[in-house]
Amino acid sequence: MKKLLFILCIFICANAFSQILSSNLEKQTIALGEVNHFVVKINNLNNQKVSSAAKNELLPFHFEAIKDSIGSDAGSYERKIEFAVYEEGKFTIPVLEFKVGDKILKTIPYEVEVVNTAQKADQINDIMKNKEVKLEVKDYWELYKWYVLAALGIIALIIAIIMFVKWGRKSKNSSAAATNQTLKELDSLKKKKYIEEGNYRSFYVELIDISRKFITKQYHVPADVLLTDDLIQRMKENITISLENEKVVEDVFVRGDLVKFAKTFPGQDTMEKDFTDIREFVKRSSKDLEFENLRKDV
């Protein structure tokens, strides 16, 4: 009798001080995507540490953890997991291990069946009726401002391209090119030292020839084929050429004809002045074209 009581006391003491693990699965059949709860509890810890899988990693792959919380104190441990499964079929929560001190405690396995409760013939209704909202101007602006700004940017780019093609390229390819080329030809003429040597006939022949080619290119007047009188008349009729430039061309060309037929013999000062006047005329021609473009735009 005493031995029986002794064994019974040992059994009671062992159960009183040993850890007790329990687990609970809320539902074993759930709908697709429905939230389910799995709870693991351990009692009689006696300040022993519990080790298990990291948060959100306790359950297998198909079980999508939504919330994984752990609560513990000196005497108990509780782990609550909210999860959902997004695939139809039967899935198993296997035996899970929890280490308490040097002892391994294990849960029992659970089978979870996931079913799709939606049917093809089911009618889907809105939870609440659509609400009409009146939009103000600022609301429309917030909705479409980037489209408006993009459209304005494209329009501005197109205008810039048109202006460049119409004025920039034309000015660079024709006016500026003709001016630069003529100034180079005048510099070449200067280097021949016709003025210093008093070779006035060669000087005026080349000076007027250079000027005629320039007028033809710059003002689109056929100066290369017109006689001096006819050219001067055409220039007077051409409103693009300024009066100042027209006067320079007339004086130099008339003097050049007189030199050509040996009716006048200009000195170095006169030749220097005529050369300088023609050179300045070439430089000023771009202003004539700019004014003409403005006049056409108006």
PDB file of all heavy atoms in Angstrom, residues 215-252:
ATOM      1  N   ILE A 215      25.794  91.041-104.448  1.00  0.00           N
ATOM      2  CA  ILE A 215      24.435  91.579-104.575  1.00  0.00           C
ATOM      3  C   ILE A 215      23.494  90.526-105.156  1.00  0.00           C
ATOM      4  O   ILE A 215      22.345  90.396-104.750  1.00  0.00           O
ATOM      5  CB  ILE A 215      24.444  92.845-105.452  1.00  0.00           C
ATOM      6  CG1 ILE A 215      25.206  93.967-104.741  1.00  0.00           C
ATOM      7  CG2 ILE A 215      23.026  93.308-105.765  1.00  0.00           C
ATOM      8  CD1 ILE A 215      25.478  95.186-105.607  1.00  0.00           C
ATOM      9  N   THR A 216      23.997  89.739-106.107  1.00  0.00           N
ATOM     10  CA  THR A 216      23.180  88.684-106.717  1.00  0.00           C
ATOM     11  C   THR A 216      22.759  87.643-105.672  1.00  0.00           C
ATOM     12  O   THR A 216      21.589  87.230-105.624  1.00  0.00           O
ATOM     13  CB  THR A 216      23.958  88.008-107.846  1.00  0.00           C
ATOM     14  OG1 THR A 216      24.314  88.996-108.836  1.00  0.00           O
ATOM     15  CG2 THR A 216      23.116  86.922-108.509  1.00  0.00           C
ATOM     16  N   LYS A 217      23.711  87.230-104.832  1.00  0.00           N
ATOM     17  CA  LYS A 217      23.402  86.220-103.829  1.00  0.00           C
ATOM     18  C   LYS A 217      22.558  86.782-102.681  1.00  0.00           C
ATOM     19  O   LYS A 217      21.606  86.145-102.231  1.00  0.00           O
ATOM     20  CB  LYS A 217      24.698  85.639-103.259  1.00  0.00           C
ATOM     21  CG  LYS A 217      25.491  84.798-104.237  1.00  0.00           C
ATOM     22  CD  LYS A 217      26.762  84.265-103.571  1.00  0.00           C
ATOM     23  CE  LYS A 217      27.580  83.415-104.524  1.00  0.00           C
ATOM     24  NZ  LYS A 217      28.838  82.924-103.887  1.00  0.00           N
ATOM     25  N   GLN A 218      22.949  87.958-102.214  1.00  0.00           N
ATOM     26  CA  GLN A 218      22.330  88.480-100.989  1.00  0.00           C
ATOM     27  C   GLN A 218      20.944  89.071-101.225  1.00  0.00           C
ATOM     28  O   GLN A 218      20.033  88.866-100.423  1.00  0.00           O
ATOM     29  CB  GLN A 218      23.249  89.539-100.368  1.00  0.00           C
ATOM     30  CG  GLN A 218      22.914  89.909 -98.939  1.00  0.00           C
ATOM     31  CD  GLN A 218      23.390  88.859 -97.948  1.00  0.00           C
ATOM     32  OE1 GLN A 218      23.255  87.664 -98.180  1.00  0.00           O
ATOM     33  NE2 GLN A 218      23.943  89.306 -96.838  1.00  0.00           N
ATOM     34  N   TYR A 219      20.779  89.797-102.323  1.00  0.00           N
ATOM     35  CA  TYR A 219      19.513  90.500-102.570  1.00  0.00           C
ATOM     36  C   TYR A 219      18.698  89.891-103.709  1.00  0.00           C
ATOM     37  O   TYR A 219      17.611  90.377-104.004  1.00  0.00           O
ATOM     38  CB  TYR A 219      19.799  91.967-102.888  1.00  0.00           C
ATOM     39  CG  TYR A 219      20.403  92.730-101.726  1.00  0.00           C
ATOM     40  CD1 TYR A 219      21.767  92.983-101.687  1.00  0.00           C
ATOM     41  CD2 TYR A 219      19.614  93.174-100.681  1.00  0.00           C
ATOM     42  CE1 TYR A 219      22.332  93.684-100.638  1.00  0.00           C
ATOM     43  CE2 TYR A 219      20.169  93.889 -99.615  1.00  0.00           C
ATOM     44  CZ  TYR A 219      21.530  94.121 -99.591  1.00  0.00           C
ATOM     45  OH  TYR A 219      22.075  94.826 -98.540  1.00  0.00           O
ATOM     46  N   HIS A 220      19.245  88.855-104.335  1.00  0.00           N
ATOM     47  CA  HIS A 220      18.556  88.176-105.439  1.00  0.00           C
ATOM     48  C   HIS A 220      18.220  89.157-106.578  1.00  0.00           C
ATOM     49  O   HIS A 220      17.160  89.098-107.192  1.00  0.00           O
ATOM     50  CB  HIS A 220      17.278  87.498-104.933  1.00  0.00           C
ATOM     51  CG  HIS A 220      17.525  86.543-103.807  1.00  0.00           C
ATOM     52  ND1 HIS A 220      18.183  85.348-103.976  1.00  0.00           N
ATOM     53  CD2 HIS A 220      17.225  86.633-102.483  1.00  0.00           C
ATOM     54  CE1 HIS A 220      18.277  84.723-102.801  1.00  0.00           C
ATOM     55  NE2 HIS A 220      17.705  85.486-101.870  1.00  0.00           N
ATOM     56  N   VAL A 221      19.149  90.051-106.816  1.00  0.00           N
ATOM     57  CA  VAL A 221      19.077  90.980-107.948  1.00  0.00           C
ATOM     58  C   VAL A 221      20.139  90.531-108.954  1.00  0.00           C
ATOM     59  O   VAL A 221      21.295  90.333-108.571  1.00  0.00           O
ATOM     60  CB  VAL A 221      19.350  92.431-107.489  1.00  0.00           C
ATOM     61  CG1 VAL A 221      19.407  93.375-108.701  1.00  0.00           C
ATOM     62  CG2 VAL A 221      18.276  92.888-106.517  1.00  0.00           C
ATOM     63  N   PRO A 222      19.820  90.364-110.234  1.00  0.00           N
ATOM     64  CA  PRO A 222      20.787  89.843-111.210  1.00  0.00           C
ATOM     65  C   PRO A 222      21.891  90.847-111.547  1.00  0.00           C
ATOM     66  O   PRO A 222      22.045  91.293-112.705  1.00  0.00           O
ATOM     67  CB  PRO A 222      19.917  89.530-112.426  1.00  0.00           C
ATOM     68  CG  PRO A 222      18.765  90.462-112.304  1.00  0.00           C
ATOM     69  CD  PRO A 222      18.495  90.617-110.855  1.00  0.00           C
ATOM     70  N   ALA A 223      22.652  91.233-110.538  1.00  0.00           N
ATOM     71  CA  ALA A 223      23.685  92.246-110.721  1.00  0.00           C
ATOM     72  C   ALA A 223      24.814  91.764-111.621  1.00  0.00           C
ATOM     73  O   ALA A 223      25.548  92.575-112.207  1.00  0.00           O
ATOM     74  CB  ALA A 223      24.246  92.648-109.361  1.00  0.00           C
ATOM     75  N   ASP A 224      24.967  90.455-111.758  1.00  0.00           N
ATOM     76  CA  ASP A 224      26.073  89.924-112.559  1.00  0.00           C
ATOM     77  C   ASP A 224      25.832  90.040-114.057  1.00  0.00           C
ATOM     78  O   ASP A 224      26.759  89.854-114.846  1.00  0.00           O
ATOM     79  CB  ASP A 224      26.324  88.463-112.197  1.00  0.00           C
ATOM     80  CG  ASP A 224      25.060  87.618-112.248  1.00  0.00           C
ATOM     81  OD1 ASP A 224      23.948  88.195-112.280  1.00  0.00           O
ATOM     82  OD2 ASP A 224      25.164  86.373-112.251  1.00  0.00           O
ATOM     83  N   VAL A 225      24.616  90.383-114.456  1.00  0.00           N
ATOM     84  CA  VAL A 225      24.319  90.489-115.891  1.00  0.00           C
ATOM     85  C   VAL A 225      23.794  91.868-116.275  1.00  0.00           C
ATOM     86  O   VAL A 225      23.655  92.163-117.474  1.00  0.00           O
ATOM     87  CB  VAL A 225      23.286  89.421-116.305  1.00  0.00           C
ATOM     88  CG1 VAL A 225      23.873  88.030-116.138  1.00  0.00           C
ATOM     89  CG2 VAL A 225      21.989  89.568-115.532  1.00  0.00           C
ATOM     90  N   LEU A 226      23.485  92.707-115.306  1.00  0.00           N
ATOM     91  CA  LEU A 226      22.932  94.028-115.603  1.00  0.00           C
ATOM     92  C   LEU A 226      24.038  95.063-115.776  1.00  0.00           C
ATOM     93  O   LEU A 226      25.081  95.000-115.121  1.00  0.00           O
ATOM     94  CB  LEU A 226      21.996  94.480-114.473  1.00  0.00           C
ATOM     95  CG  LEU A 226      20.681  93.710-114.301  1.00  0.00           C
ATOM     96  CD1 LEU A 226      19.943  94.195-113.063  1.00  0.00           C
ATOM     97  CD2 LEU A 226      19.792  93.867-115.537  1.00  0.00           C
ATOM     98  N   LEU A 227      23.775  96.033-116.689  1.00  0.00           N
ATOM     99  CA  LEU A 227      24.657  97.177-116.795  1.00  0.00           C
ATOM    100  C   LEU A 227      24.511  98.046-115.556  1.00  0.00           C
ATOM    101  O   LEU A 227      23.529  97.954-114.815  1.00  0.00           O
ATOM    102  CB  LEU A 227      24.317  97.982-118.046  1.00  0.00           C
ATOM    103  CG  LEU A 227      24.503  97.252-119.391  1.00  0.00           C
ATOM    104  CD1 LEU A 227      24.015  98.124-120.539  1.00  0.00           C
ATOM    105  CD2 LEU A 227      25.957  96.849-119.594  1.00  0.00           C
ATOM    106  N   THR A 228      25.480  98.912-115.344  1.00  0.00           N
ATOM    107  CA  THR A 228      25.491  99.704-114.107  1.00  0.00           C
ATOM    108  C   THR A 228      24.217 100.537-113.964  1.00  0.00           C
ATOM    109  O   THR A 228      23.595 100.561-112.894  1.00  0.00           O
ATOM    110  CB  THR A 228      26.712 100.623-114.075  1.00  0.00           C
ATOM    111  OG1 THR A 228      27.906  99.816-114.116  1.00  0.00           O
ATOM    112  CG2 THR A 228      26.726 101.472-112.822  1.00  0.00           C
ATOM    113  N   ASP A 229      23.795 101.214-115.023  1.00  0.00           N
ATOM    114  CA  ASP A 229      22.592 102.058-114.945  1.00  0.00           C
ATOM    115  C   ASP A 229      21.359 101.215-114.634  1.00  0.00           C
ATOM    116  O   ASP A 229      20.510 101.608-113.813  1.00  0.00           O
ATOM    117  CB  ASP A 229      22.397 102.816-116.261  1.00  0.00           C
ATOM    118  CG  ASP A 229      23.472 103.879-116.476  1.00  0.00           C
ATOM    119  OD1 ASP A 229      24.115 104.261-115.469  1.00  0.00           O
ATOM    120  OD2 ASP A 229      23.668 104.307-117.628  1.00  0.00           O
ATOM    121  N   ASP A 230      21.243 100.084-115.289  1.00  0.00           N
ATOM    122  CA  ASP A 230      20.089  99.209-115.040  1.00  0.00           C
ATOM    123  C   ASP A 230      20.126  98.636-113.616  1.00  0.00           C
ATOM    124  O   ASP A 230      19.083  98.513-112.946  1.00  0.00           O
ATOM    125  CB  ASP A 230      20.077  98.062-116.046  1.00  0.00           C
ATOM    126  CG  ASP A 230      19.867  98.566-117.469  1.00  0.00           C
ATOM    127  OD1 ASP A 230      19.219  99.633-117.623  1.00  0.00           O
ATOM    128  OD2 ASP A 230      20.332  97.893-118.410  1.00  0.00           O
ATOM    129  N   LEU A 231      21.309  98.298-113.155  1.00  0.00           N
ATOM    130  CA  LEU A 231      21.442  97.766-111.798  1.00  0.00           C
ATOM    131  C   LEU A 231      21.035  98.816-110.764  1.00  0.00           C
ATOM    132  O   LEU A 231      20.310  98.510-109.802  1.00  0.00           O
ATOM    133  CB  LEU A 231      22.884  97.313-111.562  1.00  0.00           C
ATOM    134  CG  LEU A 231      23.211  96.862-110.122  1.00  0.00           C
ATOM    135  CD1 LEU A 231      22.325  95.693-109.704  1.00  0.00           C
ATOM    136  CD2 LEU A 231      24.690  96.492-110.001  1.00  0.00           C
ATOM    137  N   ILE A 232      21.500 100.028-110.965  1.00  0.00           N
ATOM    138  CA  ILE A 232      21.153 101.094-110.011  1.00  0.00           C
ATOM    139  C   ILE A 232      19.647 101.327-109.992  1.00  0.00           C
ATOM    140  O   ILE A 232      19.038 101.513-108.927  1.00  0.00           O
ATOM    141  CB  ILE A 232      21.907 102.386-110.374  1.00  0.00           C
ATOM    142  CG1 ILE A 232      23.415 102.186-110.143  1.00  0.00           C
ATOM    143  CG2 ILE A 232      21.387 103.563-109.558  1.00  0.00           C
ATOM    144  CD1 ILE A 232      24.270 103.327-110.645  1.00  0.00           C
ATOM    145  N   GLN A 233      19.019 101.276-111.169  1.00  0.00           N
ATOM    146  CA  GLN A 233      17.564 101.448-111.233  1.00  0.00           C
ATOM    147  C   GLN A 233      16.841 100.322-110.502  1.00  0.00           C
ATOM    148  O   GLN A 233      15.869 100.554-109.772  1.00  0.00           O
ATOM    149  CB  GLN A 233      17.121 101.500-112.701  1.00  0.00           C
ATOM    150  CG  GLN A 233      15.640 101.760-112.907  1.00  0.00           C
ATOM    151  CD  GLN A 233      15.182 103.082-112.326  1.00  0.00           C
ATOM    152  OE1 GLN A 233      15.934 104.091-112.345  1.00  0.00           O
ATOM    153  NE2 GLN A 233      13.966 103.121-111.792  1.00  0.00           N
ATOM    154  N   ARG A 234      17.324  99.076-110.702  1.00  0.00           N
ATOM    155  CA  ARG A 234      16.703  97.932-110.012  1.00  0.00           C
ATOM    156  C   ARG A 234      16.875  98.038-108.500  1.00  0.00           C
ATOM    157  O   ARG A 234      15.974  97.685-107.727  1.00  0.00           O
ATOM    158  CB  ARG A 234      17.326  96.621-110.507  1.00  0.00           C
ATOM    159  CG  ARG A 234      16.913  96.240-111.917  1.00  0.00           C
ATOM    160  CD  ARG A 234      15.468  95.750-111.948  1.00  0.00           C
ATOM    161  NE  ARG A 234      15.295  94.507-111.199  1.00  0.00           N
ATOM    162  CZ  ARG A 234      15.471  93.302-111.736  1.00  0.00           C
ATOM    163  NH1 ARG A 234      15.818  93.181-113.014  1.00  0.00           N
ATOM    164  NH2 ARG A 234      15.291  92.227-111.009  1.00  0.00           N
ATOM    165  N   MET A 235      18.007  98.527-108.076  1.00  0.00           N
ATOM    166  CA  MET A 235      18.240  98.684-106.641  1.00  0.00           C
ATOM    167  C   MET A 235      17.337  99.756-106.046  1.00  0.00           C
ATOM    168  O   MET A 235      16.874  99.635-104.905  1.00  0.00           O
ATOM    169  CB  MET A 235      19.715  99.033-106.377  1.00  0.00           C
ATOM    170  CG  MET A 235      20.676  97.880-106.668  1.00  0.00           C
ATOM    171  SD  MET A 235      22.409  98.319-106.433  1.00  0.00           S
ATOM    172  CE  MET A 235      22.449  98.690-104.707  1.00  0.00           C
ATOM    173  N   LYS A 236      17.064 100.806-106.801  1.00  0.00           N
ATOM    174  CA  LYS A 236      16.152 101.852-106.312  1.00  0.00           C
ATOM    175  C   LYS A 236      14.724 101.308-106.184  1.00  0.00           C
ATOM    176  O   LYS A 236      13.955 101.753-105.323  1.00  0.00           O
ATOM    177  CB  LYS A 236      16.175 103.049-107.258  1.00  0.00           C
ATOM    178  CG  LYS A 236      17.482 103.824-107.261  1.00  0.00           C
ATOM    179  CD  LYS A 236      17.416 105.003-108.214  1.00  0.00           C
ATOM    180  CE  LYS A 236      18.746 105.760-108.258  1.00  0.00           C
ATOM    181  NZ  LYS A 236      19.090 106.379-106.955  1.00  0.00           N
ATOM    182  N   GLU A 237      14.391 100.363-107.051  1.00  0.00           N
ATOM    183  CA  GLU A 237      13.052  99.764-106.991  1.00  0.00           C
ATOM    184  C   GLU A 237      12.948  98.680-105.932  1.00  0.00           C
ATOM    185  O   GLU A 237      11.852  98.294-105.532  1.00  0.00           O
ATOM    186  CB  GLU A 237      12.707  99.176-108.362  1.00  0.00           C
ATOM    187  CG  GLU A 237      12.603 100.223-109.462  1.00  0.00           C
ATOM    188  CD  GLU A 237      12.463  99.611-110.839  1.00  0.00           C
ATOM    189  OE1 GLU A 237      12.562  98.355-110.933  1.00  0.00           O
ATOM    190  OE2 GLU A 237      12.285 100.358-111.826  1.00  0.00           O
ATOM    191  N   ASN A 238      14.089  98.159-105.487  1.00  0.00           N
ATOM    192  CA  ASN A 238      14.119  97.083-104.496  1.00  0.00           C
ATOM    193  C   ASN A 238      14.105  97.696-103.093  1.00  0.00           C
ATOM    194  O   ASN A 238      15.082  98.313-102.657  1.00  0.00           O
ATOM    195  CB  ASN A 238      15.380  96.232-104.688  1.00  0.00           C
ATOM    196  CG  ASN A 238      15.339  94.967-103.845  1.00  0.00           C
ATOM    197  OD1 ASN A 238      14.759  94.940-102.777  1.00  0.00           O
ATOM    198  ND2 ASN A 238      15.975  93.914-104.342  1.00  0.00           N
ATOM    199  N   ILE A 239      12.996  97.538-102.395  1.00  0.00           N
ATOM    200  CA  ILE A 239      12.850  98.172-101.079  1.00  0.00           C
ATOM    201  C   ILE A 239      13.657  97.454 -99.997  1.00  0.00           C
ATOM    202  O   ILE A 239      13.754  97.946 -98.864  1.00  0.00           O
ATOM    203  CB  ILE A 239      11.367  98.223-100.653  1.00  0.00           C
ATOM    204  CG1 ILE A 239      10.791  96.794-100.546  1.00  0.00           C
ATOM    205  CG2 ILE A 239      10.562  99.062-101.612  1.00  0.00           C
ATOM    206  CD1 ILE A 239       9.372  96.773-100.037  1.00  0.00           C
ATOM    207  N   THR A 240      14.248  96.301-100.318  1.00  0.00           N
ATOM    208  CA  THR A 240      15.047  95.581 -99.322  1.00  0.00           C
ATOM    209  C   THR A 240      16.354  96.306 -99.042  1.00  0.00           C
ATOM    210  O   THR A 240      16.814  96.366 -97.902  1.00  0.00           O
ATOM    211  CB  THR A 240      15.350  94.155 -99.816  1.00  0.00           C
ATOM    212  OG1 THR A 240      14.128  93.476-100.049  1.00  0.00           O
ATOM    213  CG2 THR A 240      16.167  93.381 -98.789  1.00  0.00           C
ATOM    214  N   ILE A 241      16.974  96.895-100.077  1.00  0.00           N
ATOM    215  CA  ILE A 241      18.273  97.555 -99.925  1.00  0.00           C
ATOM    216  C   ILE A 241      18.061  98.937 -99.324  1.00  0.00           C
ATOM    217  O   ILE A 241      17.251  99.739 -99.818  1.00  0.00           O
ATOM    218  CB  ILE A 241      18.978  97.660-101.283  1.00  0.00           C
ATOM    219  CG1 ILE A 241      19.103  96.277-101.922  1.00  0.00           C
ATOM    220  CG2 ILE A 241      20.355  98.287-101.123  1.00  0.00           C
ATOM    221  CD1 ILE A 241      19.672  96.281-103.310  1.00  0.00           C
ATOM    222  N   SER A 242      18.784  99.251 -98.267  1.00  0.00           N
ATOM    223  CA  SER A 242      18.661 100.558 -97.612  1.00  0.00           C
ATOM    224  C   SER A 242      19.239 101.652 -98.504  1.00  0.00           C
ATOM    225  O   SER A 242      20.073 101.403 -99.386  1.00  0.00           O
ATOM    226  CB  SER A 242      19.378 100.544 -96.260  1.00  0.00           C
ATOM    227  OG  SER A 242      20.775 100.387 -96.446  1.00  0.00           O
ATOM    228  N   LEU A 243      18.829 102.890 -98.259  1.00  0.00           N
ATOM    229  CA  LEU A 243      19.315 104.036 -99.041  1.00  0.00           C
ATOM    230  C   LEU A 243      20.819 104.218 -98.867  1.00  0.00           C
ATOM    231  O   LEU A 243      21.520 104.584 -99.820  1.00  0.00           O
ATOM    232  CB  LEU A 243      18.578 105.307 -98.614  1.00  0.00           C
ATOM    233  CG  LEU A 243      17.074 105.347 -98.939  1.00  0.00           C
ATOM    234  CD1 LEU A 243      16.450 106.614 -98.358  1.00  0.00           C
ATOM    235  CD2 LEU A 243      16.857 105.295-100.449  1.00  0.00           C
ATOM    236  N   GLU A 244      21.315 103.968 -97.682  1.00  0.00           N
ATOM    237  CA  GLU A 244      22.751 104.111 -97.429  1.00  0.00           C
ATOM    238  C   GLU A 244      23.551 103.123 -98.266  1.00  0.00           C
ATOM    239  O   GLU A 244      24.548 103.501 -98.913  1.00  0.00           O
ATOM    240  CB  GLU A 244      23.027 103.895 -95.941  1.00  0.00           C
ATOM    241  CG  GLU A 244      24.494 104.052 -95.563  1.00  0.00           C
ATOM    242  CD  GLU A 244      24.735 103.791 -94.089  1.00  0.00           C
ATOM    243  OE1 GLU A 244      23.798 103.330 -93.407  1.00  0.00           O
ATOM    244  OE2 GLU A 244      25.872 104.027 -93.621  1.00  0.00           O
ATOM    245  N   ASN A 245      23.116 101.873 -98.283  1.00  0.00           N
ATOM    246  CA  ASN A 245      23.828 100.867 -99.068  1.00  0.00           C
ATOM    247  C   ASN A 245      23.675 101.118-100.562  1.00  0.00           C
ATOM    248  O   ASN A 245      24.607 100.906-101.345  1.00  0.00           O
ATOM    249  CB  ASN A 245      23.302  99.474 -98.724  1.00  0.00           C
ATOM    250  CG  ASN A 245      23.733  99.031 -97.337  1.00  0.00           C
ATOM    251  OD1 ASN A 245      24.717  99.549 -96.807  1.00  0.00           O
ATOM    252  ND2 ASN A 245      23.005  98.096 -96.752  1.00  0.00           N
ATOM    253  N   GLU A 246      22.487 101.558-100.937  1.00  0.00           N
ATOM    254  CA  GLU A 246      22.246 101.873-102.352  1.00  0.00           C
ATOM    255  C   GLU A 246      23.181 102.988-102.829  1.00  0.00           C
ATOM    256  O   GLU A 246      23.746 102.934-103.936  1.00  0.00           O
ATOM    257  CB  GLU A 246      20.790 102.298-102.503  1.00  0.00           C
ATOM    258  CG  GLU A 246      20.399 102.696-103.922  1.00  0.00           C
ATOM    259  CD  GLU A 246      19.005 103.290-103.948  1.00  0.00           C
ATOM    260  OE1 GLU A 246      18.102 102.738-103.286  1.00  0.00           O
ATOM    261  OE2 GLU A 246      18.835 104.316-104.644  1.00  0.00           O
ATOM    262  N   LYS A 247      23.390 104.017-101.983  1.00  0.00           N
ATOM    263  CA  LYS A 247      24.271 105.150-102.341  1.00  0.00           C
ATOM    264  C   LYS A 247      25.722 104.689-102.499  1.00  0.00           C
ATOM    265  O   LYS A 247      26.421 105.118-103.442  1.00  0.00           O
ATOM    266  CB  LYS A 247      24.178 106.210-101.233  1.00  0.00           C
ATOM    267  CG  LYS A 247      24.996 107.461-101.495  1.00  0.00           C
ATOM    268  CD  LYS A 247      24.399 108.264-102.650  1.00  0.00           C
ATOM    269  CE  LYS A 247      25.002 109.654-102.741  1.00  0.00           C
ATOM    270  NZ  LYS A 247      26.467 109.687-102.841  1.00  0.00           N
ATOM    271  N   VAL A 248      26.186 103.783-101.607  1.00  0.00           N
ATOM    272  CA  VAL A 248      27.561 103.280-101.694  1.00  0.00           C
ATOM    273  C   VAL A 248      27.765 102.535-103.006  1.00  0.00           C
ATOM    274  O   VAL A 248      28.750 102.764-103.735  1.00  0.00           O
ATOM    275  CB  VAL A 248      27.856 102.351-100.495  1.00  0.00           C
ATOM    276  CG1 VAL A 248      29.175 101.600-100.720  1.00  0.00           C
ATOM    277  CG2 VAL A 248      27.918 103.146 -99.207  1.00  0.00           C
ATOM    278  N   VAL A 249      26.849 101.646-103.357  1.00  0.00           N
ATOM    279  CA  VAL A 249      26.981 100.858-104.585  1.00  0.00           C
ATOM    280  C   VAL A 249      26.977 101.776-105.813  1.00  0.00           C
ATOM    281  O   VAL A 249      27.782 101.602-106.737  1.00  0.00           O
ATOM    282  CB  VAL A 249      25.845  99.822-104.676  1.00  0.00           C
ATOM    283  CG1 VAL A 249      25.870  99.117-106.036  1.00  0.00           C
ATOM    284  CG2 VAL A 249      25.970  98.796-103.556  1.00  0.00           C
ATOM    285  N   GLU A 250      26.068 102.730-105.801  1.00  0.00           N
ATOM    286  CA  GLU A 250      25.979 103.640-106.959  1.00  0.00           C
ATOM    287  C   GLU A 250      27.282 104.421-107.143  1.00  0.00           C
ATOM    288  O   GLU A 250      27.823 104.507-108.265  1.00  0.00           O
ATOM    289  CB  GLU A 250      24.817 104.598-106.757  1.00  0.00           C
ATOM    290  CG  GLU A 250      24.627 105.552-107.948  1.00  0.00           C
ATOM    291  CD  GLU A 250      23.412 106.453-107.778  1.00  0.00           C
ATOM    292  OE1 GLU A 250      22.729 106.342-106.735  1.00  0.00           O
ATOM    293  OE2 GLU A 250      23.149 107.266-108.690  1.00  0.00           O
ATOM    294  N   ASP A 251      27.846 105.005-106.066  1.00  0.00           N
ATOM    295  CA  ASP A 251      29.074 105.809-106.168  1.00  0.00           C
ATOM    296  C   ASP A 251      30.251 104.969-106.658  1.00  0.00           C
ATOM    297  O   ASP A 251      30.984 105.376-107.571  1.00  0.00           O
ATOM    298  CB  ASP A 251      29.410 106.419-104.804  1.00  0.00           C
ATOM    299  CG  ASP A 251      28.439 107.525-104.408  1.00  0.00           C
ATOM    300  OD1 ASP A 251      27.672 107.986-105.295  1.00  0.00           O
ATOM    301  OD2 ASP A 251      28.431 107.919-103.226  1.00  0.00           O
ATOM    302  N   VAL A 252      30.411 103.776-106.076  1.00  0.00           N
ATOM    303  CA  VAL A 252      31.575 102.944-106.425  1.00  0.00           C
ATOM    304  C   VAL A 252      31.444 102.395-107.844  1.00  0.00           C
ATOM    305  O   VAL A 252      32.413 102.386-108.609  1.00  0.00           O
ATOM    306  CB  VAL A 252      31.733 101.801-105.408  1.00  0.00           C
ATOM    307  CG1 VAL A 252      32.855 100.854-105.845  1.00  0.00           C
ATOM    308  CG2 VAL A 252      32.040 102.348-104.020  1.00  0.00           C
TER     309      VAL A 252
END
